[in-house]
Amino acid sequence: MQTIAPRSRAVPRAAVAPRLWRLLLVLAAVTAAFLAGAAPASAHAALTGSDPKQGAVVKKAPAQVKLTFSEKVAMADGSVRVLDPAGKRADTDKTTDLGANTYGVKLRKGLPDGTYTVAYQVVSADSHPIAGAFTFSIGAPSATKATLPDQEAGGGLVGVLYDIARYLSYAGFTVVVGGAAFVLGCWPRGAGVRPVQRLVTYGWVTLTGATLALLLLRAPYTGSGKLADAFDMGALGDVLNTKTGAALVSRLLLLAAAALFIAVLFGAYVRRDGPEEAAAKKDLTFGLAIGGTVVAIGIAATWAMAEHASTGIQAGIAMPVDVLHLLAVAAWLGGLAALVVALFRTASVEAAAVRRFSRVAFTSVVLVAATGLYQSWRQVGSWSALTGTSYGQLLLVKIGLVVVLVGVAAVSRRWTGRIASEAGGLAPEAAAAVVVEQRTAKKTVTATGAPEGEAGDGGASEQAEGPVDSKRSAQLARQRAAMAAAREKRIRDADPHRSGLRRSVLTEAGVAVVLLAVTTALTTTEPGRTEEEAARATAAVAEAQRSGPLSLKVPFDTGGQDGKGTVRLELDPGRTGSNDLHVYVKRPNGSAFDIPEVKVSFTLESKDVGPLPVTPSHIATGHWTASGVQIPMAGDWKIAVTVRTSDIDQVTVNKNTQIG
């Protein structure tokens, strides 16, 4: 899984293939072992309980509403809102941490009977906002005018901008760390190459700008969702007191140190190029390597300390592993970006530099695979989550892209092997041409703008024809620079092996861009095991709310004489699968009401299922029953009951309820 070139010692191709297959088999076995033995854990928080419970009817108003989550969440005043039937606030706007991942908000006194809506928006321990709502009733259910915003937490324009900034921050980190590592460890002469300098500098600018954007967008991203709130200094102050805010500020401080590192790498390091300064340059290289590594680890840790790795099982192991994963990805993909620039914008990159990067890339790929397996185990947890959740499906896409990337890298390795075996380097005549052109350009214009050969003529000619000579010299300099660039391009394009390597490496870079986008999407997607855990918690809450059969009571009025009454349905056990249905019809005074016909149907509109008709059998006065009523899936089912009280008087009444 090397990216570009073979090791300095030739390895027979026949010997490489078996080693590669053995490595793939080992990785597959480790994957199976990890996923098969996965244990449940938490990353995104999920609501696991409440008091009052969802849908409960209580006799008197509680003193407070309590919410219990699967893990600790960040909650501020106003994070939980309780709305009365008229849609007005019924809470005191003060939240309290009650311990054991339970939070409470006190209610006002003298609340009227009716249905109340509880809406919450909090931030989970891995920095992602979560929101939801449920209802309970005091005295008896009623209609409610409470309205909730259509926009989900972290959605809308702010969510899009936040995700773009997140992607740019990963891309910038990859380029600045990987590009600098490529120069320092693989191609020291590249520190003086302007295109490589620009690449690393642009990476630093991108990471810095994206980090600032994330810091400003954090408040609306986790709160109101309004872009204007990005410039609310009070909200920004609140963000700085959070774990994510502290991580982003720390990243900015470390980026200041990274700027100093880049200045030295492309400044003093380049100037120490003479043989008499070899010892000083060696010491400087060692210092830059140590300092750069420390800064890179620190920047990577700002992600690990605030996102998925910082929560769930084995967080103390997961955070260092996440740092190592980010550094390995940066060394691989960022170095690849620097190699692409070197191959396309210069003619003098040596084969030795490509071979060094090949060894770095191979080590990086092994580390990415190992740390990625561990992260996948923590985030996926089971085979069902791997194929049945969005996170698992994205992970499969990422694995596929890595396989494609490694396949293209094998092609690059083949081209590099041909170059190394035939020429021992990449176009050495190109390097000589560049040196010649540089020397020619130096001689072209003096500090005054005249040709160097005419600079010592005593200044008389300059006074007479200075403007003309200056203009001609500048024109000549531009022509020579254009000729040098054209010659360098011809040299690059003339080497077929080099052209093949450029194409394959460019393909690698394109796949890497898509891979980075998928990786960014994974960081914002709820982990598969947490999604399954949340589903189990929701089912447990629903199950705890119901003891015994599902019971519904609906009034009806057919409009005819003696056409009023009440129909009560009981569905036992009231879950998916086979159920027994009992229908009881009573008059307004509570006595049994025998009517000509009762029909029932079930419709799950969200899944376009139904209506599923049921015709119960009459077994006693005012009592009908049907057995084997199949409810195929869980959801919010609409139950329609058709009541006929005479030959012409009939009405259908509807009631929605959660089944399963």
Side-chain angles (χ1 to χ4, degrees), residues 45-64:
L47 183 68
T48 58
S50 64
D51 184 14
K53 296 178 181 178
Q54 179 177 352
V57 180
V58 296
K59 294 182 179 180
K60 62 179 182 178
Q64 64 179 341

Side-chain angles (χ1 to χ4, degrees), residues 232-541:
D232 184 343
M233 292 299 102
L236 179 60
D238 294 336
V239 168
L240 297 179
N241 291 324
T242 65
K243 182 171 65 173
T244 303
L248 292 173
V249 171
S250 299
R251 189 181 304 168
L252 288 174
L253 294 175
L254 288 165
L255 282 170
L260 178 61
F261 169 87
I262 293 172
V264 174
L265 178 64
F266 296 145
Y269 185 77
V270 175
R271 289 192 293 270
R272 295 181 182 275
D273 206 19
E276 66 281 357
E277 295 183 334
K281 186 168 185 176
K282 184 177 180 180
D283 292 340
L284 183 57
T285 301
F286 179 78
L288 285 173
I290 296 299
T293 300
V294 171
V295 172
I297 290 174
I299 295 175
T302 62
W303 275 286
M305 67 181 288
E307 296 194 353
H308 287 166
S310 64
T311 185
I313 60 172
Q314 301 179 356
I317 299 176
M319 286 192 287
V321 169
D322 193 49
V323 169
L324 187 60
H325 184 81
L326 287 171
L327 293 176
V329 169
W332 179 20
L333 301 186
L336 181 64
L339 181 60
V340 169
V341 170
L343 289 173
F344 276 83
R345 300 299 303 276
T346 70
S348 56
V349 59
E350 304 90 352
V354 184
R355 286 196 297 269
R356 293 188 201 105
F357 175 69
S358 180
R359 291 191 288 269
V360 171
F362 176 78
T363 304
S364 299
V365 169
V366 172
L367 289 174
V368 167
T371 54
L373 281 172
Y374 176 75
Q375 290 176 327
S376 299
W377 167 65
R378 292 185 74 247
Q379 305 298 349
V380 178
S382 66
W383 288 111
S384 61
L386 186 63
T387 57
T389 64
S390 298
Y391 188 94
Q393 292 161 3
L394 276 174
L395 183 62
L396 291 176
V397 172
K398 179 180 178 179
I399 292 172
L401 288 171
V402 170
V403 172
V404 171
L405 195 60
V406 171
V408 179
V411 178
S412 300
R413 173 192 175 95
R414 205 169 293 125
W415 283 116
T416 306
R418 292 175 184 176
I419 293 170
S421 61
E422 292 185 10
L426 292 182
E429 68 278 8
V434 172
V435 172
V436 170
E437 293 301 331
Q438 288 174 344
R439 290 175 178 173
T440 303
K442 263 181 106 177
K443 293 179 179 179
T444 300
V445 183
T446 65
T448 63
E452 192 175 55
E454 302 172 5
D457 292 344
S461 60
E462 288 184 11
Q463 293 176 0
E465 301 183 86
V468 177
D469 288 346
S470 178
K471 184 176 180 180
R472 291 175 58 190
S473 298
Q475 183 179 11
L476 182 61
R478 288 194 298 271
Q479 290 175 349
R480 289 182 175 177
M483 291 173 61
R487 184 180 294 109
E488 187 177 352
K489 185 177 186 301
R490 285 198 303 271
I491 292 171
R492 291 200 305 264
D493 296 341
D495 188 347
H497 298 328
R498 181 189 179 95
S499 297
L501 179 61
R502 287 166 57 200
R503 288 193 298 269
S504 62
V505 171
L506 183 61
T507 303
E508 283 186 76
V511 177
V513 169
V514 180
L515 176 63
L516 192 60
V518 174
T519 301
T520 305
L522 278 171
T523 65
T524 61
T525 303
E526 183 175 5
R529 55 171 173 67
T530 311
E531 185 177 332
E532 288 192 336
E533 182 180 273
R536 288 193 297 268
T538 301
V541 170

Side-chain angles (χ1 to χ4, degrees), residues 163-179 199-200 202-208 210 251 303 326 329-330 333-335 337 512-513 516-517 519-520:
D163 289 340
I164 292 174
R166 190 194 298 268
Y167 174 81
L168 291 176
S169 66
Y170 279 118
F173 172 79
T174 299
V175 169
V176 70
V177 172
L199 175 72
V200 176
Y202 290 162
W204 181 89
V205 171
T206 300
L207 177 55
T208 303
R251 189 181 304 168
W303 275 286
L326 287 171
V329 169
L333 301 186
V513 169
L516 192 60
T519 301
T520 305

